[in-house]
């Protein structure tokens, strides 16, 4: 096995090698490598800054979007609550103004699921006290609501103004008559539902 000739380290010797002797090229300068690494590092830092700005902008956009969505959801919930309060008030007013001597228990049955237990009991007592009168006179009334609007509302209570008409016929007035009535319906929020707690006829 032939061993390759050793190349003398002439670059450390101040005397140049004799003619014909092989020489070793001094190692290349590291300056070029350092420049390349510096450029790569600068590019990395710049890219990192760009990503940080993009992330911050994206986070701000997401935060603004989330806040807008929350406000829209809250507004939608308030609108739904108002609509429910008005719907219950209309049904209560219609049931209270619709009586038929042939079905004396119907008004109380219609009011009960739309009212607090206290108001339902109060309304049944009122009906029972006047039952003899409207059964004897064969009274039939029909109530219709023309308009209803929330006057005041918060998380637990609401006041709804109802404008209604009541058509009445009886033995005394078989041709019937019509009366326009304004009602103030007070509601309470109970277990996530609006229930009538009091009704005042104006």
């Amino acid at each position: 096995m032939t061993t390759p000739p050793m190349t003398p380290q002439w670059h450390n010797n101040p005397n140049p090698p004799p003619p014909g002797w092989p020489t070793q090229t001094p190692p290349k300068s590291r300056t070029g490598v350092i420049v390349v690494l510096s450029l790569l590092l600068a590019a990395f830092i710049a890219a990192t800054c760009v990503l940080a700005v993009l992330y911050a902008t994206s986070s701000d956009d997401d935060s603004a979007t989330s806040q807008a969505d929350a406000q829209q959801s809250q507004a939608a919930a308030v609108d739904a609550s108002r609509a429910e309060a008005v719907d219950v008030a209309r049904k209560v007013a219609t049931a209270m103004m619709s009586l038929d001597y042939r079905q004396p228990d119907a008004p109380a049955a219609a009011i009960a699921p739309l009212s607090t237990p206290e108001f339902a009991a109060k309304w049944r007592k009122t009906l029972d006290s006047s039952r003899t009168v409207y059964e004897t006179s064969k009274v039939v009334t029909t109530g219709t609501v023309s308009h209803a609007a929330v006057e005041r509302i918060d998380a637990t209570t609401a006041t709804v103004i109802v404008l209604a008409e009541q058509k009445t016929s009886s033995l005394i007035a078989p041709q019937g008559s019509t009366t326009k009535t304004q009602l103030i319906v007070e509601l309470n929020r109970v277990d996530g539902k609006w229930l009538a707690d009091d009704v005042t006829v104006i």
Side-chain angles (χ1 to χ4, degrees):
M1 177 176 181
T2 303
T3 302
M6 297 294 293
T7 303
Q9 304 296 320
W10 295 111
H11 65 277
N12 291 324
N13 194 331
N15 298 318
W21 282 84
T23 62
Q24 181 177 4
T25 303
K28 293 183 180 180
S29 172
R30 296 184 179 180
T31 303
V33 176
I34 293 175
V35 170
V36 172
L37 291 177
S38 298
L39 292 175
L40 291 175
L41 180 59
F44 174 76
I45 293 174
T48 302
C49 292
V50 170
L51 290 176
V53 171
L54 292 176
Y55 178 77
T57 303
S58 177
S59 298
D60 291 342
D61 292 342
D62 291 343
S63 178
T65 301
S66 298
Q67 185 176 2
D69 291 343
Q71 291 176 347
Q72 290 179 355
S73 297
Q74 184 177 5
V78 172
D79 290 342
S81 182
R82 292 173 67 92
E84 182 190 348
V86 168
D87 183 60
V88 171
R90 293 176 69 99
K91 290 178 179 178
V92 168
T94 301
M96 289 184 64
M97 301 180 69
S98 300
L99 308 173
D100 191 330
Y101 73 95
R102 294 162 295 189
Q103 298 176 323
D105 295 323
I111 289 290
L114 302 172
S115 309
T116 61
E118 295 78 11
F119 181 68
K122 179 181 178 180
W123 178 240
R124 178 173 287 279
K125 184 177 180 180
T126 300
L127 289 174
D128 290 342
S129 65
S130 59
R131 176 176 295 187
T132 300
V133 175
Y134 66 76
E135 284 184 344
T136 301
S137 300
K138 300 186 183 304
V139 175
V140 176
T141 66
T142 303
T144 57
V145 173
S146 60
H147 182 72
V150 173
E151 181 185 52
R152 181 195 57 79
I153 190 170
D154 56 34
T156 58
T157 61
T159 301
V160 178
I161 307 299
V162 178
L163 302 180
E165 290 185 352
Q166 185 180 46
K167 295 182 179 180
T168 304
S169 64
S170 64
L171 288 177
I172 299 173
Q175 73 280 6
S177 61
T178 300
T179 304
K180 293 184 178 181
T181 307
Q182 181 174 323
L183 302 92
I184 300 176
V185 182
E186 302 288 348
L187 303 104
N188 290 344
R189 191 76 172 174
V190 181
D191 295 332
K193 298 190 302 181
W194 285 112
L195 298 176
D197 190 53
D198 195 16
V199 177
T200 303
V201 179
I202 300 175

